[in-house]
Amino acid sequence: MSQSDPSKIFSRIAGTGGYLPERVMTNKDLEKIVETDDQWIRDRTGIEQRHISADSQTTSDLAYEAAILALEMANVKAEDLDLIVVATTTPDKIFPSTATILQQKLGNRGAPAFDVQAVCTGFVYGLSVADQFVKTGMAKKVLVVGAETLSRITNWTDRNTCVLFGDGAGAVVLESSTEAGILSTHIHADGQYEDLLHVPSGPSKVAQTDDIAERTMNMKGNEVFKVAVNTLSRIASETLEANNITKEDLDWLVPHQANLRIINATAKKLSLGADQTVVTVNRHANTSSASVPLALNEAVRDGRIQRGQLLLLEAFGGGFTWGSALIKF
Ligand code: UT7
């Protein structure tokens, strides 16, 4: 694993940003909407509250707030970006892409801008795509955002799902560097699990009834849980092996925030304690593609994650999709 190699180009994280909508919905608030209780949600998921967008806020609005902070930290001007990637499952419109709407808000013109759709693994997919552009010299300054307004595709009458999700956005600015940054990314999918976690209808597969369940998230939680735990353990091993390192070399696990029990199982497998695992699920719930960059941003900004440390990012989501990134911060 090289620290600095003038013959090689790396993508280095130059800045991070995050944004959560102002409105907080607690488990107690949910008790008034569906038959659930605060203790059940805490025990089964670790979630205590989630943030919900205002009616006027779109995914690109959330993405914009996170992007501005990441650009500021990186000391990069929006007009100098030469690629914008937005990972989202809840785009503002069917088209144009949320990335081009964000581009307009940021005042960038001409850079390629596109969305990546890999549900909860979206940010890791976006990071992987951006990394290929940087490594091949196609781009030098890249904005990668994970942003979601999941509250818009939540069935607020279904207790199996509505307690699990929240809204938010996280962003990173990548810069081309001869110093080590992203060391490897690993992305996968297996479409045979489509029906375990999905929104049944869309622009092409038109809803056949007025049932709200057709237009909102459906999940067989228990089955997803089992596959998630096993898959995340496999992707962690794959990442360590590909980089010829051991779990002892890792400084931080920055996991997807779906369920505290899943996070703890992955951390345990890697022998990482609570002081080496970034947890935001208690306050953010599952924000899909925003969850990993929001967690990363929080630990960078509060000083836990330091320059030079080795981070393992991982995620798992609908599709199924899953992925990881090993990063020298
Ligand atoms: O980000 C993408 C990946 N997503 C995930 O990784 C999520 C994976 N799944 C999970 O996190 C968990 O499976 C859940 C948190 C969704 C559910 O936890 P569980 O321990 O798997 O519970 P369960 O689905 O087996 O349900 C247990 C019981 C059921 O009652 P019975 O049938 O045992 O009487 C449910 O009806 O809990 C009941 N239940 C609830 N009770 C109170 C389900 N939802 C609720 C609720 N409040 N909100």
Side-chain angles (χ1 to χ4, degrees), residues 36 40 44-45 120 159-160 221-222 256 259 261-262 286:
T36 188
W40 188 96
R44 301 291 178 118
T45 72
C120 299
R159 71 174 186 173
N160 290 301
N222 208 280
H256 173 47
N259 187 315
R261 290 186 289 146
I262 298 177
N286 181 350

Side-chain angles (χ1 to χ4, degrees), residues 23-188:
R23 182 177 163 211
V24 170
M25 187 187 274
T26 63
N27 293 347
K28 286 276 175 206
D29 294 330
L30 278 163
E31 285 180 1
K32 294 172 202 148
I33 304 175
V34 285
E35 203 188 317
T36 188
D37 65 275
D38 177 41
Q39 203 56 52
W40 188 96
I41 303 172
R42 282 172 194 258
D43 291 347
R44 301 291 178 118
T45 72
I47 298 167
E48 294 158 24
Q49 61 168 55
R50 69 285 297 141
H51 290 251
I52 304 291
S53 305
D55 289 347
S56 60
Q57 276 181 316
T58 62
T59 293
S60 69
D61 292 330
L62 274 50
Y64 174 80
E65 300 295 338
I68 288 291
L69 292 170
L71 287 163
E72 240 172 50
M73 189 192 281
N75 203 16
V76 167
K77 291 196 186 78
E79 60 259 39
D80 294 335
L81 290 169
D82 48 18
L83 176 64
I84 297 172
V85 180
V86 174
T88 188
T89 309
T90 45
D92 286 23
K93 300 180 175 182
I94 292 170
F95 73 85
S97 70
T98 304
T100 59
I101 298 171
L102 173 64
Q103 177 184 37
Q104 182 204 151
K105 289 180 179 172
L106 289 171
N108 174 287
R109 297 185 76 179
F114 55 84
D115 290 358
V116 165
Q117 218 291 43
V119 205
C120 299
T121 319
F123 178 77
V124 175
Y125 266 60
L127 207 60
S128 181
V129 170
D131 186 42
Q132 315 308 318
F133 272 79
V134 173
K135 283 196 300 204
T136 54
M138 284 276 287
K140 289 194 164 53
K141 292 180 197 299
V142 186
L143 175 66
V144 184
V145 186
E148 303 283 5
T149 46
L150 291 179
S151 57
R152 306 271 155 75
I153 56 164
T154 296
N155 180 352
W156 293 104
T157 64
D158 176 14
R159 71 174 186 173
N160 290 301
T161 53
C162 76
V163 303
L164 304 173
F165 301 100
D167 299 338
V172 298
V173 171
L174 300 178
E175 277 193 302
S176 156
S177 173
T178 52
E179 258 181 79
I182 295 178
L183 297 169
S184 70
T185 60
H186 307 262
I187 54 175
H188 298 279

Side-chain angles (χ1 to χ4, degrees), residues 224-255:
V224 176
F225 187 97
K226 286 178 208 147
V227 186
V229 171
N230 289 330
T231 308
L232 288 169
S233 156
R234 268 206 331 271
I235 192 89
S237 303
E238 178 187 329
T239 314
L240 298 180
E241 277 164 32
N243 288 278
N244 205 15
I245 61 168
T246 65
K247 54 191 183 183
E248 285 74 28
D249 294 315
L250 294 174
D251 292 301
W252 286 100
L253 174 66
V254 187

